[in-house]
Structures are given as C-alpha cells and as structure tokens.
Amino acid sequence: MDFEPVIGLEVHAQLLTRTKLFCSCSAQFGAPANSNTCPVCLGMPGALPVLNREAVAMAVRAALALDCIINPTSIFARKNYFYPDLPKGYQISQFDLPLGEHGRVRVFSGERAESGQIINRVEKTFGITRLHMEEDAGKSIHDGMADTDEKSYVNLNRSGTPLVEIVSEPDFRSSQEAYDYLIHLRKTLLYLGVCDGNMEEGSLRCDANVSIRPKGSVTLGTKVEIKNLNSFRFLQKALDYEIERQKEVISEGGRIVQETRLWDDGKGCTFSMRSKEEAHDYHYFPEPDLPPLKLEPAWIDGMRRSLPELPHEKMLRFVSEFGLSTDDALLLASTKEMADYFEASARISESPRAAANWIMGDLAYALKNSGQEISKCPISPAQLAELIRAIDSGKISGKIAKTVFEEIYKSGESPDAVINRLGLVQVSDEASLSAMIDKVMDANAKQVAEYRSGKEKVLSFFVGQIMKETKGQANPKVLNDLLKAKLKG
Ligand SMILES: [Zn+2]
C-alpha cells in the first residue's frame, strides 16, 4: 500500500524582549545561574504578574506576519503540571482564546534529489492554526555539574521569559515540506526582529506530530508526537525515521500507538518517552491574576502597517524586479541583511545579475573564510557596485576584477584606488595593442604561417603572448578582434 505522511509542527519562539513576560527581570541568555530571578518568576506565594507590553507587540507582529486574525480579546490561562523547573506548579499560557488564529504562510518547497539538491521547487500554502503567548519554564540540569549522578540542578533564569507558540495545521506531506516551513518561519521571525532564531540556545524549539495514512484517504491516522527537535537536521532525520517506522508497523499488521517520542541522534532513531495514558492532563483554567488582554483595532492596524517587507514577498519581488531565478532570490532574501546588501549593490551598479553573482560567489566565499557576517562585510554595497561598473565599462577584465576584489576585501580601499595603485587598468587602446601584436607576429613567423594555413588553434598562442606582455590586462575582446584581423593578413 502507498502511504502518505501527515505532519504538523508546534514551534516555540522566544521573544527578544529586554525583560521577562510578567516581571522586570532580564530575559538575557547566559547570565550566571538563577541571577535573573525575582518573587514573580520564582513563583512565590502572593507575587502578582504584570504583562510586558513589548512582548504583546512582538507577538502581534509575528501573528500578523503569519496572516493570523488577531483576537481583540485573548485570555491568559494556567496550564497546570508539576516539574522541578516550574516553581509555580503551572505555566501561564493561552488556551481558549489565543492571541492569533487562522493564519497561513506561502513557502517555496521542493523535493530533495539523491545528491541532496532541492529540485522541483513550487509555492505551497500551509495553514497556521494559532499563535499564543506563554511564559517559559526554567531549566533542569542533569549533567555537567558536580554530583549529577545523584543530584539535579535547576536554573530559573529562563523561568518567565516570553514565548510565542506557533501551531501549524497538519499540512505537511513530507519531511522536506516541514523543513522548508520551519526555515521560512525562522526567517520571518528574524526579519521581524522578534526572535533571534538561535536553535542551539533554545530560542527556537520544535515539536512535530506525525501520522501516516493510505494515499488518497481523508481520515487521519493515529499521531505520534516527537518532542525537542532542536535543529533543522534533527527535524528532518527524525521525521524520515518516524514515517518509515510507522509504515513498517502498519505493513506488518500492527497498530500505531498514540505516544510521545524523542529523537536519539546518536542511534539515529526515535524512542518512546510516554504513552497517551501517561500524558499530562493540564486542567487549564483562566488565570485569575491577569485580566483579559484587550487590543484596540486601531493599534493592531498600526502594527500591521509597520510590518517590514517579509521574506516571501521580497523573494518574489527579486524575481520580478531583478529577473533572478527562484533559487537565487531565495538565497539572497534568506536574511534581511543579505537582501539589503544585494538590493543596494544591484541598484547602484545597475547590474543586478552581476551583483547577485558576486554576492553568492566570491563574497560568500570570502565571508565564510573570514568567519564574517554580511552585516560586518568589509566591502560596502557601493564598493561592490563600483567594482561591477569597472568591469561593465571595460576598465578592468573580469579576471583582474577577482584580484581587485581580494585587495578591497583585505584593505577596505575603493576599487578605483586599488586599480590605480596596482596599475591594473585594462589595455583596450587599439594602437598600443596593435604595436604589441606586430612585434609578436614578427618574432613568431612560424606560428603566423601555421595560422594562415588553417591551424586556427594557434590564435590562443598569440593571445597568451600578449597577455604575458600586458600582465593579463589586455582587453580580451579588443585583442581577439585585432589579432584575427592581423593574422588573416
Ligand atoms: Zn522575575
């Protein structure tokens, strides 16, 4: 039987506020353990939460960017469970009435060829069920400290930091689609400046729901939840493994058990963490210490108007305005910094194609080698544009431009200054090239005769001689035209 996977993702994104969701403690990552705490985020009896206005603004921006309907009233709820890193015994979240609902995103997704390359990219629409706000829990530490064989430690710095949980519809039919969606989501949050997207530090965390069903069926199979897929690579590997595991169970006449599983990257498999019977029953109820969150329509409209151009729209515009391919536009719009860099150099140089090639080629290579981000690139878009114009105008050849590029990357000088300092101006002047050609032809009568007898390959010998003479700076087109005319005799 032919099966298709049905995948939905739940993503937790930490908002980039200065302070926590319900108190004024710093939300900074990496402070000394338990230093960013106060009675509110330690869950002391009688301490009252006060909602962080900036966190609401960021959550609303994220919800709008995901095309969600913003509920004018949303309700905070207590999600009750016991865990050592949750001192209150409950987490403040949103349940019945979340901040945003019924969103969708458009994403270019493809298939992965055996070479690993993405092929057949097409635009797909994936639904967003809801986006709600909640506070994070602290962190239990089970290893890397003294006596962790018999003790656990708890760090409550993260307790109360603001999160949005973004729940997708079960719209993904392959691990690649889930992967492309997650990449898109991360990109969008980074464009908005509401999350740093750092999966290693846990600012972006992903759980997946996976089931399979016979192709063409409309009923859903029993789903398995895979928790803590904290890298793009883990997500895709865990999904692929789980899809195959479920196919195997069903093919052998077994039944899928509803359960929560974890990914073991060392062993390359998922394993059961808890079954449905052991699942939490959270007993949500409205948070009595926080009033309903009411948002003015005019304020929401203002937030909508202030959204930046988002990655998908920018990518589509790069295709239509600059004539780029989808793949190139996707790459250049992958971060706002790269997109801005490309757009500035494309406009100043008036050669978008050349700007794209330099950025994806030599510049990407140089940045990678020096471990530099494009936001700290030693070459400004104006300098890159000046280099492109120097090639377009015939001042230097494409080959020499590579040397100039390396120089300006190192020194930060302007391309023209480097061209003049190193005497790299291309020789396009017909009179001086003519003189050199005459000299070379006189000295190589045998090769001239060969050429004239039909061995046209000898042309490259003459090109080589002149290039040697001019240290590679002869204008190839002018040189070729002149050489052919003279050799014909
Ligand atoms: Zn606090």
Side-chain angles (χ1 to χ4, degrees):
M1 199 186 287
D2 210 5
F3 289 102
E4 72 171 0
V6 177
I7 303 163
L9 295 185
E10 290 171 14
V11 173
H12 284 92
Q14 190 185 332
L15 298 174
L16 272 176
T17 53
R18 209 171 42 79
T19 56
K20 293 186 180 180
L21 189 51
F22 300 115
C23 63
S24 54
C25 290
S26 167
Q28 187 86 46
F29 178 85
N34 297 306
S35 60
N36 293 338
T37 53
C38 73
V40 174
C41 55
L42 288 174
M44 299 291 183
L48 288 174
V50 177
L51 182 59
N52 181 336
R53 190 184 182 82
E54 189 57 24
V56 176
M58 287 187 177
V60 167
R61 277 162 70 79
L64 288 169
L66 302 174
D67 217 2
C68 287
I69 293 165
I70 306 293
N71 286 322
T73 301
S74 58
I75 309 279
F76 285 101
R78 290 188 179 181
K79 179 181 181 180
N80 294 280
Y81 64 99
F82 174 77
Y83 212 69
D85 59 18
L86 189 74
K88 287 201 293 273
Y90 62 85
Q91 183 184 13
I92 303 177
S93 181
Q94 295 188 307
F95 187 56
D96 285 333
L97 266 180
L99 188 79
E101 289 178 283
H102 312 299
R104 64 190 183 125
V105 289
R106 289 181 298 154
V107 177
F108 267 88
S109 184
E111 297 158 35
R112 196 171 285 261
E114 279 198 21
S115 62
Q117 217 190 342
I118 308 294
I119 50 167
N120 303 332
R121 235 189 260 280
V122 286
E123 189 183 68
K124 301 213 165 136
T125 301
F126 302 123
I128 305 288
T129 314
R130 56 188 274 147
L131 177 148
H132 66 253
M133 302 180 73
E134 63 183 28
E135 60 176 342
D136 208 347
K139 208 171 180 176
S140 297
I141 298 150
H142 305 292
D143 41 42
M145 307 270 284
D147 312 321
T148 32
D149 51 339
E150 48 188 35
K151 288 180 188 163
S152 281
Y153 293 74
V154 68
N155 180 354
L156 295 170
N157 281 350
R158 206 178 65 181
S159 171
T161 53
L163 302 176
V164 283
E165 179 172 344
I166 301 160
V167 182
S168 83
E169 289 290 305
D171 281 350
F172 314 110
R173 295 292 169 268
S174 67
S175 67
Q176 186 64 43
E177 287 186 358
Y179 178 93
D180 289 332
Y181 161 81
L182 190 59
I183 293 264
H184 174 84
L185 193 59
R186 180 176 182 274
K187 231 184 322 193
T188 303
L189 297 171
L190 284 167
Y191 262 65
L192 294 170
V194 302
C195 176
D196 67 17
N198 190 328
M199 292 188 93
E200 272 119 65
E201 291 178 3
S203 334
L204 199 65
R205 310 196 280 271
C206 181
D207 305 331
N209 288 306
V210 198
S211 63
I212 61 167
R213 64 182 176 195
K215 224 173 196 151
S217 163
V218 284
T219 48
L220 292 169
T222 306
K223 68 179 178 188
V224 163
E225 186 182 28
I226 317 177
K227 277 208 158 314
N228 302 332
L229 296 168
N230 297 334
S231 85
F232 290 101
R233 205 172 51 84
F234 287 3
L235 170 84
Q236 204 164 16
K237 282 164 80 176
L239 288 176
D240 285 338
Y241 174 86
E242 186 57 25
I243 293 163
E244 284 312 309
R245 187 189 71 84
Q246 294 188 14
K247 278 183 193 171
E248 223 165 276
V249 170
I250 291 179
S251 304
E252 286 165 5
R255 271 181 50 243
I256 300 299
V257 185
Q258 187 174 343
E259 60 183 347
T260 301
R261 298 177 75 89
L262 290 173
W263 171 247
D264 181 332
D265 198 52
K267 293 200 181 108
C269 67
T270 62
F271 64 94
S272 184
M273 183 174 107
R274 60 171 178 251
S275 70
K276 194 192 173 191
E277 286 69 40
E278 304 161 66
H280 294 302
D281 186 356
Y282 295 118
H283 286 290
Y284 283 94
F285 66 85
E287 164 62 65
D289 291 339
L290 286 165
L293 172 60
K294 289 191 189 302
L295 301 172
E296 290 293 329
W299 182 80
I300 298 171
D301 284 344
M303 296 302 267
R304 196 191 308 275
R305 280 194 302 273
S306 74
L307 287 182
E309 184 181 33
L310 294 165
H312 191 74
E313 286 64 40
K314 200 182 277 289
M315 193 269 306
L316 293 176
R317 183 168 63 77
F318 281 1
V319 171
S320 62
E321 189 176 343
F322 298 119
L324 299 182
S325 71
T326 305
D327 279 3
D328 290 353
L330 265 174
L331 196 116
L332 291 166
S334 59
T335 66
K336 193 169 175 300
E337 291 73 19
M338 173 128 62
D340 289 347
Y341 190 100
F342 161 70
E343 193 155 5
S345 39
R347 288 198 193 287
I348 304 169
S349 68
E350 295 173 8
S351 292
R353 185 66 261 164
N357 287 343
W358 278 101
I359 294 166
M360 296 186 298
D362 295 64
L363 188 68
Y365 183 76
L367 288 169
K368 192 168 175 235
N369 271 351
S370 56
Q372 200 71 268
E373 296 289 328
I374 196 154
S375 54
K376 304 249 165 64
C377 180
I379 301 180
S380 70
Q383 285 172 313
L384 184 66
E386 189 180 317
L387 180 66
I388 292 167
R389 277 200 307 243
I391 307 162
D392 287 350
S393 66
K395 187 173 186 183
I396 55 172
S397 69
K399 199 159 164 247
I400 291 292
K402 303 233 173 212
T403 312
V404 178
F405 176 86
E406 280 169 28
E407 268 311 302
I408 60 173
Y409 192 89
K410 266 188 283 181
S411 68
E413 281 172 278
S414 82
D416 282 340
V418 171
I419 294 164
N420 292 332
R421 178 164 62 79
L422 301 177
L424 296 173
V425 178
Q426 182 163 255
V427 184
S428 304
D429 162 39
E430 294 197 10
S432 51
L433 283 174
S434 266
M436 284 185 226
I437 293 170
D438 290 341
K439 222 175 85 190
V440 173
M441 280 172 67
D442 284 346
N444 298 283
K446 193 178 130 230
Q447 282 83 350
V448 174
E450 279 176 15
Y451 184 88
R452 288 183 178 156
S453 70
K455 274 181 79 178
E456 291 195 356
K457 277 199 295 190
V458 188
L459 182 73
S460 60
F461 163 79
F462 289 101
V463 172
Q465 294 295 311
I466 306 290
M467 282 299 182
K468 214 158 123 191
E469 192 85 358
T470 59
K471 297 197 188 78
Q473 284 161 239
N475 181 324
K477 175 149 190 341
V478 178
L479 173 62
N480 264 294
D481 292 350
L482 272 178
L483 256 175
K484 279 183 189 160
K486 280 182 178 284
L487 283 167
K488 262 188 198 146

